């Protein structure tokens, strides 16, 4: 699939540069990506080479070959890996600034000062070639800074869990349904943090006030129209009970039917028939959280929506841009790789936004080109002599 950058088309590359945040070249030196001018004569050469790896999904060795024969830079794969590791903070800064400038602003409830909001997720990475290995990257990204503060690389056999990550008081772990497990939730709560996770009917058993299984589907059926449900529940872990809440909302008709069809397809793919309860539950969005009543159920759901808005850009890479080769045992390289992938994702978002807004020339004008001149002093021009 063609990349967002084209080595053979200088005009496309120049257009793409207009989507980058102001001062991105100076930041390369300031943030350590281009401390010494070796192998790369400029920040532009470095970025163009890195994007061959990050956007096209090429291995480091193939990236070096393409950069050489494309007339961009002459660099070995080993030197390129070192440069990638040094560019992590620069890539993160560009991704965050690009998101701020182009991507729809996230809900303000996500950015509260009281909580350190962390998106926890995992993604698989496949090495190119028929003998390539598959790995899973588990990562934590803070909001709204997009700082990847923790990353782990494992085999695909190791599943997603909050237990893999360190917890600090004030952390709010946001995760999808793959993280809705009692042991992981207990790990976060015992560390002084809170959780907000999407649920399924069966993955996270919750108890009601009577300490009996909470009839979630019965309560979901009571939600009319756009009313939000908010019910106290408990999660049993060992001999202790973790207090929490289930917040839920009914989807509109079109969204509900789409989710129900997806649930049926998933069940068929796995070789079994979807249960009626599963199909019915697909018409609702319901999350479990340990946040207390200071956070309204609407704020809780808005927080989860904020997580999804940002993560959509990263998840879209799985279907738009091939995931590239990486030194899987190097955590620093993995962190830089994630920041670079986020940058690519937000550049794609920017291109989409620019296309929807449409300008005749197809790209934004540079800031320095938009300086409005001071008004000229008005002068009375005498009429020419008759």
């Amino acid at each position: 699939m063609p990349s967002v950058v084209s080595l053979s088309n200088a005009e496309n590359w120049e257009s793409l540069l207009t989507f980058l945040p102001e001062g991105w070249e100076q930041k390369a030196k300031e943030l350590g990506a281009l401390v010494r001018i070796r192998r790369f004569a400029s920040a532009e050469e470095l970025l163009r080479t890195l994007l061959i790896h990050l956007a096209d999904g090429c291995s480091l060795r193939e990236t070096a070959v393409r950069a050489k024969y494309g007339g961009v830079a002459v660099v070995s794969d080993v030197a390129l890996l070192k440069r990638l590791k040094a560019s992590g903070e620069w890539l993160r800064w560009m991704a965050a600034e690009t998101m701020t400038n182009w991507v729809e602003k996230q809900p303000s409830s996500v950015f509260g000062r009281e909580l350190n909001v962390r998106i926890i997720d995992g993604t698989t990475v496949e090495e190119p070639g028929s003998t390539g290995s598959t790995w899973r990257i588990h990562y934590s990204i803070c909001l709204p800074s997009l700082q990847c503060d923790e990353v782990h690389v494992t085999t695909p056999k190791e599943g997603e869990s909050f237990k893999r990550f360190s917890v600090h008081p004030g952390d709010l772990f946001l995760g999808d349904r793959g993280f809705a497990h009692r042991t992981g939730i207990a790990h976060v709560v015992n560390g002084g943090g809170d959780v907000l996770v999407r649920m399924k009917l069966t993955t996270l058993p919750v108890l009601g006030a009577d300490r009996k299984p909470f009839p979630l589907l019965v309560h979901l059926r009571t939600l009319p129209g756009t009313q939000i449900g908010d019910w106290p529940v408990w999660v049993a872990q060992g001999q202790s009970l973790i207090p929490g809440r289930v917040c839920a909302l009914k989807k509109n008709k079109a969204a509900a039917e789409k989710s129900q069809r997806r649930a049926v397809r998933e069940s068929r793919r796995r070789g079994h028939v979807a249960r009626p309860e599963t199909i019915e539950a697909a018409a609702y969005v319901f999350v479990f959280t340990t946040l207390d009543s200071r956070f309204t159920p609407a704020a809780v759901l808005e927080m989860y929506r904020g997580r999804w808005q940002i993560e959509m850009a990263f998840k879209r890479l799985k279907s738009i841009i091939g995931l590239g080769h990486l030194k899987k045992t190097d955590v620093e390289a993995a962190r830089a790789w994630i920041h670079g992938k986020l940058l690519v994702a937000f550049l794609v978002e920017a291109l989409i936004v620019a296309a929807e807004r449409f300008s005749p020339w197809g790209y934004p004008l540079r800031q320095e080109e938009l300086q409005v001149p001071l008004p000229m002093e008005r002068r009375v021009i005498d009429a020419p002599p008759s």
Side-chain angles (χ1 to χ4, degrees), residues 162-267:
F162 287 149
K163 293 191 300 179
R164 200 175 303 280
F165 298 87
S166 57
V167 186
H168 306 283
D171 282 353
L172 173 63
F173 278 39
L174 273 66
D176 59 19
R177 285 170 282 203
F179 292 91
H181 300 287
R182 291 176 291 183
T183 55
I185 292 173
H187 168 73
V188 177
V189 172
N190 292 337
D194 286 290
V195 299
L196 172 54
V197 292
R198 188 86 175 264
M199 296 176 62
K200 287 185 178 180
L201 282 179
T202 56
T203 55
L204 182 63
V206 292
L207 306 177
D210 56 1
R211 302 303 186 263
K212 294 182 179 179
F214 183 75
L216 179 55
L217 194 55
V218 173
H219 284 74
L220 292 176
R221 292 168 182 160
T222 65
L223 296 178
T226 58
Q227 179 180 331
I228 301 177
D230 186 12
W231 306 291
V233 295
W234 285 260
V235 172
Q237 175 59 22
Q239 299 299 319
S240 61
L241 292 175
I242 301 173
R245 304 152 61 192
V246 170
C247 300
L249 185 66
K250 189 176 183 179
K251 300 177 183 179
N252 62 35
K253 183 177 179 181
E257 292 176 349
K258 181 179 179 180
S259 297
Q260 289 171 333
R261 290 194 297 268
R262 185 186 304 117
V264 172
R265 289 197 304 269
E266 283 294 312
S267 297

Side-chain angles (χ1 to χ4, degrees), residues 19-168:
F19 289 88
L20 295 175
E22 187 176 357
W24 66 273
E25 292 175 291
Q26 292 81 358
K27 281 289 182 179
K29 294 182 179 180
E30 180 182 328
L31 298 177
L34 206 64
V35 176
R36 293 182 299 172
I37 307 298
R38 294 183 59 185
R39 306 290 195 281
F40 299 97
S42 65
E44 182 177 337
E45 286 187 5
L46 174 59
L47 179 62
R48 194 166 186 175
T49 302
L50 289 178
L51 286 181
I52 298 173
H53 171 59
L54 295 166
D56 272 344
C58 298
S59 68
L60 294 170
R61 182 171 297 178
E62 183 180 355
T63 297
V65 173
R66 288 195 179 194
K68 177 181 178 180
Y69 287 99
V72 179
V74 179
V75 61
S76 68
D77 56 337
V78 175
L80 184 57
L81 175 61
K82 293 180 180 179
R83 190 67 70 167
L84 171 65
K85 291 162 62 175
S87 301
E89 180 59 18
W90 180 47
L91 293 169
R92 184 206 66 80
W93 180 85
M94 286 192 291
E97 291 297 312
T98 304
M99 183 199 73
T100 300
N101 294 335
W102 289 99
V103 180
E104 179 185 358
K105 296 298 185 292
Q106 311 308 312
S108 58
S109 57
V110 173
F111 304 137
R113 296 180 181 179
E114 184 177 352
L115 299 170
N116 177 34
V117 183
R118 300 171 64 185
I119 292 179
I120 311 294
D121 205 357
T123 185
T124 55
V125 177
E126 297 182 2
E127 296 181 14
S130 58
T131 60
S133 301
T134 301
W135 304 85
R136 187 186 298 277
I137 293 183
H138 312 259
Y139 61 91
S140 165
I141 294 178
C142 297
L143 298 183
S145 68
L146 296 185
Q147 175 70 52
C148 179
D149 62 344
E150 193 170 352
V151 62
H152 303 275
V153 183
T154 69
T155 66
K157 295 181 180 180
E158 299 187 47
E160 299 174 333
S161 174
F162 287 149
K163 293 191 300 179
R164 200 175 303 280
F165 298 87
S166 57
V167 186
H168 306 283

